[in-house]
Amino acid sequence: RELLERVGDFELEEHPIGGASIDAHGVALTDEVLEACRAADAVLLAAVGGPRWDTTDPDAPRPEQGLLGLRKGLGLFANLRPVRPSPALLDASPLKRELIEGTDLLVVRELTGGIYFGDRGLDGDTAHDTCVYSEGEVERIARVAFGLARRKVTSVDKANVLETSRLWRKTVERVAAAERTPIEHMLVDNAAMQLVSRPADFDVILTENMFGDILSDEAAMLTGSLGMLPSASLGDGPGPGLFEPVHGSAPDIAGKGTANPLAMFGSVAMMLRHGLAMETEAAALESALDRALEDGLRTPDLQGNATTEAATRAVLANL
Ligand code: IPM
Ligand code: MG
């Protein structure tokens, strides 16, 4: 809030989602909250989940349903997760500096299809989840990836095993044929390996919902911490985008005041850029983040001892 107040004059509304909504209303997302989000210019989401609502009972509400309902309900099929290690943090990653230097990649994750939204069920001692993709769904996310690429698009799939991946590859090929940007295809297991052996080689990684979920957490470690990665989820209609850090609610440090707020601040920057057409402010905020890190700001996830409050001060001082 403080950051937003510094950047511009916004009308802010707060609504519960996830565990807070389950406690208040018995469901992770109410129709009223979905409608309020639809009526907004942008949605900034904190994080959902926590041990209190962890359950294996298929009939009990789960916090994650709120987030998935919001993504689906707002038609946000394109999830952008930029991985741009801050120069000051090149030694903060468990990977060697020489390996990370020059990394500036973008994961473009399909967000409203695949195994996350296919038919699922539990029947006695057997459970199933179904991965479904249509050509149309693949085509529209592929266009987003090409629109954002500078050097090449790496499309990640499991076409040696999955039928959805073969449809994915064929459709991406068709979209690529009309583009000047080069395309390469990579199997997901190989991509997981390449991400930590030559990350700087990637530009845009285009992939389906679950592969994108997994690879983006892996890619986050290139920046030193999962607490650094912002994201934007966009649709193709006039509705609002959703902006959220890639990390979860970090229940292990709840209430301690030590959470790294930089992924959230980075998500605010993405909201300013992609959701509110405020590029100047977005760039100013991003450079304030970089400068605060250059000044030595390190929260505990980056082996420092700055509190959330101190990190906020450090960023505001550089803005
Ligand atoms: C993410 C998260 C979510 C996902 C969870 C909370 C449902 O891990 O945004 O990456 O799997 O998409
Ligand atoms: Mg995830």
Side-chain angles (χ1 to χ4, degrees), residues 76-290:
L76 308 173
F77 66 88
N79 183 219
L80 316 183
R81 299 185 157 180
V83 181
R84 189 182 50 89
S86 185
L89 292 183
L90 285 174
D91 293 312
S93 169
L95 294 165
K96 291 193 199 80
R97 161 188 279 270
E98 309 83 81
L99 233 130
I100 302 166
E101 259 167 356
T103 299
D104 182 0
L105 65 86
L106 175 71
V107 178
V108 176
R109 170 188 177 195
E110 200 290 326
L111 203 60
T112 51
I115 200 165
Y116 273 58
F117 291 95
D119 177 61
R120 65 170 51 95
L122 173 68
D123 188 8
D125 61 358
T126 307
H128 71 277
D129 297 274
T130 323
C131 184
V132 184
Y133 268 112
S134 68
E135 278 182 23
E137 285 174 305
V138 181
E139 201 176 306
R140 65 181 181 176
I141 191 70
R143 286 191 202 291
V144 171
F146 278 99
L148 293 165
R150 284 174 297 198
R151 287 187 288 117
K152 66 172 171 179
V153 171
T154 305
S155 174
V156 173
D157 61 38
K158 189 72 187 173
N160 52 347
V161 177
L162 302 176
E163 200 60 48
T164 41
S165 280
R166 288 190 274 269
L167 180 90
W168 180 278
R169 196 175 276 217
K170 208 177 71 191
T171 309
V172 171
E173 268 303 321
R174 185 158 47 70
V175 172
E179 301 278 347
R180 260 182 309 185
T181 312
I183 175 81
E184 71 180 354
H185 299 281
M186 200 177 278
L187 296 174
V188 62
D189 46 352
N190 183 27
M193 186 269 282
Q194 303 287 349
L195 250 182
V196 287
S197 58
R198 46 175 195 94
D201 198 48
F202 289 99
D203 177 17
V204 164
I205 296 178
L206 161 65
T207 193
E208 61 99 67
N209 206 341
M210 188 155 80
F211 297 159
D213 178 45
I214 299 168
L215 293 179
S216 57
D217 269 31
E218 186 191 9
M221 286 316 288
L222 300 166
T223 67
S225 163
L226 188 53
M228 294 299 299
L229 222 60
S231 84
S233 302
L234 308 171
D236 52 9
L242 172 78
F243 305 87
E244 54 168 328
V246 169
H247 63 69
S249 61
D252 54 322
I253 54 166
K256 291 190 179 159
T258 59
N260 181 350
L262 296 196
M264 194 61 185
F265 294 167
S267 301
V268 169
M270 291 193 86
M271 176 175 81
L272 295 169
R273 171 172 300 122
H274 297 284
L276 301 170
M278 295 173 72
E279 172 60 34
T280 310
E281 290 82 351
L285 175 50
E286 282 169 351
S287 83
L289 298 177
D290 280 341

